[in-house]
Amino acid sequence: MNGFDLLIKNGSVITMDGALSKKRWLAVKDGIIQALGDSDFTGEARETINLDGRALIPGLVDAHAHVCMTGVMGNGLPLAGVKTSKGILDIVEEACAKDGSDTLIVGGNMFMPNQMEDGRVPDIRELDRVSGNHPVMLVFWTVHGGVANTKALELASLPEEWGYIKQDGMFLEDKISFYIISSILGTLSDSYFEEMYTGIAKNCASLGMTTVHALEGMFVKDDKDVEILLRIRDELPIEFVPYWQTFDLEKVKEHGLKQIGGCLSLDGSPPQITGCFFDAYPCAPYTRGLLNFSDRHLYEFVTACTKADMQVAVHAIGERAIDQITWIYRQVDKELGIKHLRDRIEHFALPGDEHIKMAAEMNLIAATQPATGDMLDNVNGNLNEAWMSKEKAQIVEKFSRYMDGGVMVIGGSDSPVTLMDALFGIDRAVNAFNPARRVSLDDALKLYTINAAWAAHQEDTKGSLEVGKHADMVILNKDPYTMEGGFTREAISVDATYKKGVLVYSK
């Protein structure tokens, strides 16, 4: 046990192994964990870190993040919390007036019209009036729609059949929204995306995240964002596992990836009345939402991916969309077998009991976002009741149901919808406003460590602190299990982050 590169000792080493054991020290050589122990360490190491009572945990994983959109929205106008159309216009006008050029102006996290105090967002004419020569696109917090001015829509080159969008500039339907967003963002330079990914990687390291499942493509024309990420990802301080949001299997195979999809949206977003349910929306009784793809299309896609030994991930929020994909997965499973692939359902917000049982039987993964459920059901009321019955609103996003049913559950941010911060996600899983949505700290940590690693077929190399695994590790300022008053995000911070034993962040 001599000659280690790094020794970390005198604290709580929270391994997240199968027994959820804790150790007193951990030793690393060549980027790999070589030894852990409970008693005093007696060997030698080139560098020693004294925890002095602090905690060491596995590198955290954000298992569902739209990294490109997070960067674009983060670089854009901050519209979160602005509750009037005039307030939004004032922000746009000020930003455009400061810059006399014709550069693209993007705003993100804008409230939906029904969340605004005046029940509306600025329309195309109002944006044209204050934007000068700038193309302007403002995106709703759902990232499934927004509003644009005339110059931005010119960049999008709308097909003739979508010309009606020019009447008010608003776009809500997924197919149209993703076309407009991707066309406009496709005008940004390669260097913009390179700098954006580098900046996000550094920020993730500062928050203790060493791996991110990056749901990329679809939001930038020709999937330029994915191509750039694949080109530079080995140079970044953390790992991005790309989930390419495309149905083009051959293109993904050419890049040597073993997973495809992400938010391939089988339905849309409930706040936009496009999530797909069995029952009509209480706030819009004329619709249950629409499915975006036929059973035949999805069956042929999943079949082709399964034959190619490719893991599939799709977006399904409403129960009718979940019903569609679980039965597709089941048919392909009976014909070819899919359990070994660990196919994913992103969001999985309102499954029925039968869907949970089927998901457990087929090793399907429920990719959840604890912070989103807490955002929609909080001190201001349960917003889900606008989209479903009160009974269903109590169980939507209640992922303890899935755990109890034997489903593998993982945690992500869905950033930019919520903060790209795994510790914040853990907090919202443990301390959700609605007690029905709370889970134990053990289970919350699993969502962002070993479960997330398993979901990307990486459980042999990361997700827990065990001999033979990569030394992806985070030093926290205190042990999350012994915090006075219980674990909270506000009271915990990251002191250092290591990727394969290399320090990538230090406080």
Side-chain angles (χ1 to χ4, degrees):
M1 292 179 60
N2 292 325
F4 295 117
D5 296 327
L6 175 65
L7 168 68
I8 300 178
K9 66 177 184 177
N10 294 337
S12 180
V13 179
I14 300 169
T15 68
M16 298 308 297
D17 63 11
L20 297 180
S21 64
K22 294 185 179 181
K23 303 295 182 181
R24 291 291 298 166
W25 57 265
L26 175 148
V28 177
K29 186 174 180 62
D30 297 328
I32 303 297
I33 299 170
Q34 299 290 341
L36 302 96
D38 295 307
S39 57
D40 292 339
F41 177 78
T42 57
E44 298 177 357
R46 181 170 53 83
E47 179 183 4
T48 298
I49 304 295
N50 191 332
L51 290 175
D52 193 23
R54 295 173 295 169
L56 183 72
I57 65 171
L60 297 168
V61 182
D62 186 330
H64 181 116
H66 301 284
V67 182
C68 172
M69 289 302 289
T70 297
V72 171
M73 297 299 103
N75 290 334
L77 305 181
L79 304 180
V82 182
K83 295 185 177 181
T84 66
S85 55
K86 182 182 183 304
I88 290 175
L89 280 171
D90 288 345
I91 292 173
V92 173
E93 184 172 22
E94 181 181 1
C96 292
K98 284 181 178 178
D99 185 346
S101 71
D102 59 357
T103 56
L104 173 65
I105 300 289
V106 177
N109 288 302
M110 182 171 64
F111 279 156
M112 298 293 298
N114 62 0
Q115 295 176 291
M116 302 289 279
E117 290 179 355
D118 49 353
R120 60 185 297 272
V121 296
D123 63 22
I124 190 170
R125 291 174 294 278
E126 292 170 312
L127 290 175
D128 285 347
R129 176 172 55 81
V130 302
S131 55
N133 292 322
H134 293 277
V136 175
M137 177 176 65
L138 311 179
V139 180
F140 294 128
W141 66 265
T142 62
V143 200
H144 283 253
V147 63
N149 72 351
T150 298
K151 290 186 178 296
L153 292 181
E154 288 173 354
L155 290 179
S157 300
L158 287 176
E160 185 176 342
E161 64 267 28
W162 294 346
Y164 66 89
I165 299 294
K166 298 176 183 178
Q167 295 176 12
D168 62 9
M170 188 179 299
F171 43 95
L172 294 170
E173 183 184 341
D174 280 2
K175 182 179 180 180
I176 299 173
S177 296
F178 297 158
Y179 175 90
I180 291 174
I181 292 171
S182 68
S183 297
I184 292 173
L185 296 186
T187 64
L188 296 170
S189 67
D190 286 10
S191 61
Y192 175 93
F193 291 105
E194 291 170 1
E195 292 171 8
M196 177 267 295
Y197 280 121
T198 301
I200 289 179
K202 292 178 179 178
N203 187 60
C204 286
S206 74
L207 296 171
M209 291 177 284
T210 56
T211 304
V212 173
H213 298 179
L215 281 58
E216 305 299 272
M218 189 170 72
F219 290 114
V220 180
K221 188 176 181 179
D222 299 326
D223 293 344
K224 180 166 69 172
D225 55 329
V226 186
E227 299 284 357
I228 291 172
L229 176 60
L230 291 174
R231 186 172 72 237
I232 69 171
R233 63 175 174 161
D234 291 340
E235 305 166 13
L236 301 175
I238 71 164
E239 179 181 5
F240 289 108
V241 179
Y243 280 79
W244 197 332
Q245 298 176 139
T246 179
F247 286 103
D248 190 342
L249 175 59
E250 293 305 314
K251 180 169 64 174
V252 175
K253 286 169 60 178
E254 288 173 3
H255 286 78
L257 303 179
K258 297 299 292 181
Q259 61 281 334
I260 186 171
C263 274
L264 296 177
S265 298
L266 307 195
D267 66 345
S269 171
Q272 292 180 207
I273 321 299
T274 53
C276 200
F277 299 102
F278 286 130
D279 301 318
Y281 281 76
C283 62
Y286 54 85
T287 185
R288 303 182 300 162
L290 298 174
L291 294 172
N292 291 330
F293 303 100
S294 69
D295 285 3
R296 170 62 64 181
H297 176 82
L298 294 174
Y299 166 75
E300 291 177 350
F301 175 66
V302 174
T303 296
C305 293
T306 302
K307 289 180 178 179
D309 205 33
M310 186 83 71
Q311 181 193 38
V312 177
V314 297
H315 158 127
I317 290 181
E319 58 196 332
R320 195 149 63 102
I322 293 170
D323 185 75
Q324 180 187 41
I325 191 58
T326 50
W327 282 98
I328 295 296
Y329 279 144
R330 187 173 191 177
Q331 183 170 348
V332 178
D333 182 46
K334 295 302 180 185
E335 295 172 0
L336 299 173
I338 67 170
K339 296 180 178 65
H340 63 294
L341 293 175
R342 307 173 190 176
D343 289 333
R344 296 169 53 143
I345 302 179
E346 310 300 312
H347 306 300
F348 203 63
L350 188 61
D353 292 340
E354 183 179 36
H355 304 136
I356 292 173
K357 180 179 179 182
M358 292 165 64
E361 290 173 349
M362 290 185 286
N363 274 349
L364 301 182
I365 294 163
T368 67
Q369 297 83 43
T372 301
D374 195 60
M375 178 176 65
L376 296 175
D377 181 10
N378 55 41
V379 67
N380 297 315
N382 191 339
L383 298 182
N384 297 296
E385 293 178 6
W387 312 313
M388 62 193 71
S389 69
K390 289 186 177 181
E391 292 75 20
K392 289 182 177 179
Q394 277 294 305
I395 63 172
V396 68
E397 304 273 4
K398 185 182 175 183
F399 47 88
S400 58
R401 287 179 62 223
Y402 327 153
M403 294 177 182
D404 292 343
V407 178
M408 175 60 73
V409 182
I410 61 178
S413 63
D414 201 18
S415 183
V417 176
T418 70
L419 294 173
M420 195 172 179
D421 181 351
L423 288 170
F424 178 68
I426 292 167
D427 176 285
R428 292 300 82 207
V430 172
N431 302 311
F433 172 78
N434 186 337
R437 290 192 173 85
R438 297 174 188 167
V439 301
S440 69
L441 181 56
D442 283 345
D443 283 337
L445 284 169
K446 286 180 183 178
L447 296 178
Y448 295 89
T449 56
I450 191 60
N451 288 12
W454 191 88
H457 294 267
Q458 293 183 316
E459 72 276 14
D460 291 338
T461 58
K462 60 181 60 178
S464 62
L465 302 179
E466 299 182 75
V467 172
K469 290 193 174 186
H470 294 169
D472 291 2
M473 312 173 295
V474 180
I475 297 177
L476 300 176
N477 66 328
K478 57 188 68 176
D479 184 338
Y481 284 93
T482 60
M483 293 173 63
E484 185 176 352
F487 175 86
T488 64
R489 179 64 183 96
E490 293 80 6
I492 203 160
S493 62
V494 173
D495 285 351
T497 302
Y498 293 84
K499 181 67 178 167
K500 293 184 180 179
V502 176
L503 182 68
V504 294
Y505 169 75
S506 180
K507 190 173 182 179

